[in-house]
Amino acid sequence: MAIVLSNISKRFGEQLVVNQVSLEVEDGELFVLLGSSGSGKSTVLRIIAGLIAPESGRVKLQGKDVTDLPPQLRGIGFVFQNYAIFRHMTVAENVEFGLKIRKVSRAERRRRREFLLELVGLGGLGGRMPNQLSGGQRQRVALARALAYEPAVLLLDEPFGALDLKIRCQLRRSLKEIQRQIGVTTILVTHDQEEAFELGDRVAVLERGRLLESGSPQELYYKPHTEFVAAFLGGGNVMVGRSDKGRIRLGAAVLPFPPGAPVHEEGAPVRILFRPETVKHQPEPFAASTDVVTIGQGRVTLKTFTGPVEKLRFELETLQGVRPAAPALAYGQRFANIEATQESRSNGGSNDAALGDLRWIGLSNFHVLDPSALKFLAVFDRAQPGLSAVQMAKLLGLASHGTTTLLKSLAPDDAVEAVQQELQLLLQNITPHGEPRFETRLRPAQGGREITREVQEGYYDLVIIGRPPQSDQEGVRRVTQLTRRLLIQSGVPVLLASSASSSIRRMLICTAAGEPGKTDVRFGARLARHIHAFTTIFHAAHSKASEEEVKRARHHLEQAREMLSAYDVPNEIKIGQEPVMPSILNEIETGKHDLVILGASGSSSVRSADDLVSRIVTLTDCSVLIVPMVPDVD
Amino acid sequence: MVTRIQTKRALPGFGLSLGFTVLYLSLLVLIPLATIFLKVSTLSFGEFWQIATTPRVLAAYRLSFGASLAAAFINLFFGFLVAWVLVRYRFPCKRMADALIDLPFALPTAVAGISLTTVYSSNGWLGSWLERVGVKVAYTPLGICLALVFIGLPFVVRTMQPVLEELEPELEEAAACMGAGRGQIFFRVLLPGLWPSLLTGFSLAFARGLGEYGSIVFIAGNLPFSTEIVPLLIMTKLDQFDYKGATALALVMLLASFTLMLLINSLSHLAGKKSHRAEV
């Protein structure tokens, strides 16, 4: 094994950028790390090179543990996105640099340099200065330079990122050829899926510092395990149906579980993936004898010509109540979309779909993703009234088929066994039959820092903290502080569970200040869908708001409503008057809401939401859910 | 009216801008300097040579050039270090430190001279300590050098900063991956690209040192043959209404510094050329 990483973690400040990454790369393999920006892929590469030291975990190259060695002694070639060519040296001098450092004889250097320049397609250009070369040529020099001293491992960090498309494609092909020819073990980092597929023998997908999946491009594309990978790699339709008597119910359609699909409990959400090219569509219903599974009738709402194929988008009314994970439901849209394709023809065949056509849609092939419903963390800590958190976790966990982790932190004087026993008892209390979806976890120390770390490392969808009664001012202050920390440092929604709400029948989504949020409505809809809560969307209007602003807010609320309806959530809209605070409090009072949802975006408005939260918590006894907002793409 | 539009530039045409350049250079540099030549031309060469080569004047030349060179070298080293730290690291009060660098530009030189003298004289804060270990600063060439280091530092720092900012950290990382140690990275990868700007900073600091007067008169003590610099000598001659003598010295300084600057600039140009070798 040429490269072995085991449990590599790295933090920058409080931010966890690489989370327990382990991977193995075979000799001579071209391995691609694929991820969006900020996924930690470059950090992993730099850790392998020794340019960054990992916080924990080991790096092995060619069977030798190099974790504590400086980059100079690791014998690696590294190619940077910005080339990092030495500008005062000629091309030849650049290529020979590593050999000179190794005191290789002049004749050998010359031989090696000429071989490599020929290999990368720059034969005869050794005398040029870097500023006489184009970007693509410079990157070729960088590649030759990194290969000159025959490194055991070649690492490339977005090597084609700064080049234009055409050059990029040329260089990709050259790289693949050179890598084959030399047989050097290579890891390439990129955010470009096409590049990853074209180059990689194997591809690993990284997201938020975690290695989600790795495999051949075909495996990852057609048979991924996770929703993220399914949606990240190319156009894909991911729909969430339900397991129903051994089959999959998708709105009005019923699909069989394909052979080899992961086991799902009865009633659990089932996420199925189908790629646009496996979607069949025709004007008349599919015959029962074909192996195409009909999912309904849809209208063509978009048709784009891309050359060899035309991309189509269908809107399906029959899929009401199905949560489409990808393509994401556009805000305010009621019906699920399905991406499909058809061959493009110069003058359109008689059976081709045109814009506005109503067609039958079926699947010739689909794939069931691993069951992974919402993941909850209930913080059960001496400082927090934990029981209400556990109750809430039980409520949400059972309704959504999610997994729930009970977290307890050890106080200095706690005996570990006693605490474990306490947790086991608690667990038996909530799940007498020992459901596997509940687990317990101990943290070695008390305090917000430990909880934040657990949230960062465990990838939870929701953190549940028990809230103190409104009279306990010290407790309220502590809880809001912890909430703020969690929101800023982990970006995970936080639910302050009240002991007063033993069930959630009525939910209130507040879209108070400025542009009403979308993330909070989406998250609220997702929860409400599971617990069948009646949802009120509330907007406190500005008293001095212009006609235009009122109209915009109205429009937004209508869209939110459409979305909730699409998720089959019973709902209503209410508009209150300024000032915001009293009107929200009044609504909580009169509406008898069990759960209030607020959105917070960016650290400054986390602070203002914090203020709002602490006031709501001090003035009422209901549960509060704060959703950190991500900038919306659609 | 007909306007001809050629390629549009931000500033109006070559003719106009060159005209301004020449006018400015003439009004501010060439004409005042020409008067020196005019004045000196009233002397015979023998007279000129005699004035310009008395032992006292020769000692002053040595001091002026020697101290300026020494100070410029010291600034080359420390200025580079300061610029490096300012570019590469983040630390508290960095902006403050950055602003402090420019202070020698703004401070009246006399103020700098007086405060340096106060601190480094034999009963000053630092001077008294240095005196105990046998180092005298104020009223010695060392003091002059110190004042020139103070005055010249910003020239090096400000020329190096933008160049260092352009130096990507990846260059060092690439070299490290290829096996180069710290010394090799610095001398083989970083330094060669920095020579032109180092030389520019050096020549600016040196030139400033040659002309400096205000801060030195206080800390130098101005003893003929030992701590008397050429600008001071010129002032002394003017005070004695010896205009011809003063201009003779001025001319020598003018020619000597011009030659030296020309030399350094062409060196810097050469170093720059090397990194753009064979550029057409």
Side-chain angles (χ1 to χ4, degrees), chain A residues 568-634:
Chain A
D568 253 357
V569 176
N571 60 72
E572 63 173 358
I573 294 180
K574 276 194 183 167
I575 291 189
Q577 289 306 315
E578 281 250 279
V580 176
M581 205 51 218
S583 89
I584 290 180
L585 287 175
N586 182 47
E587 177 55 34
I588 296 174
E589 192 69 28
T590 55
K592 295 203 170 50
H593 298 288
D594 305 300
L595 177 64
V596 181
I597 300 181
L598 301 166
S601 63
S603 53
S604 70
S605 78
V606 163
R607 221 156 290 140
S608 67
D610 194 36
D611 195 40
L612 202 64
V613 170
S614 63
R615 279 159 77 187
I616 290 181
V617 175
T618 34
L619 293 170
T620 72
D621 258 329
C622 67
S623 301
V624 183
L625 168 62
I626 308 109
V627 185
M629 313 248 243
V630 285
D632 228 276
V633 266
D634 55 35

Side-chain angles (χ1 to χ4, degrees), chain B residues 46-66:
Chain B
E47 280 174 308
F48 169 76
W49 189 251
Q50 207 197 347
I51 296 171
T53 55
T54 62
R56 186 175 166 185
V57 173
L58 286 178
Y61 290 147
R62 266 199 297 279
L63 182 62
S64 265
F65 282 97

Side-chain angles (χ1 to χ4, degrees), chain A residues 46 49 51 71-72 76 78 80 82 84-90 93 97-98 100-102 129 131-132 145 149, chain B residues 166-168 170-171 173-181 184-185 188-189 192-193 274-279:
Chain A
R46 280 161 177 270
L51 298 170
Q72 284 89 345
I76 32 143
F78 204 113
F80 295 86
N82 64 0
I85 292 289
F86 305 143
R87 273 165 290 200
H88 60 281
M89 296 184 195
T90 60
E93 284 167 335
F97 185 83
K100 260 190 191 159
I101 297 284
R102 284 168 175 73
M129 289 309 283
N131 57 6
Q132 296 170 281
R145 187 178 68 171
Y149 44 95
Chain B
E166 270 183 31
L167 215 62
E168 320 94 302
E170 281 89 349
L171 289 177
E173 292 177 336
C177 287
M178 284 184 266
Q184 287 168 319
I185 294 177
R188 292 205 193 170
V189 175
K274 196 183 171 240
S275 59
H276 299 269
R277 191 169 14 175
E279 196 172 19

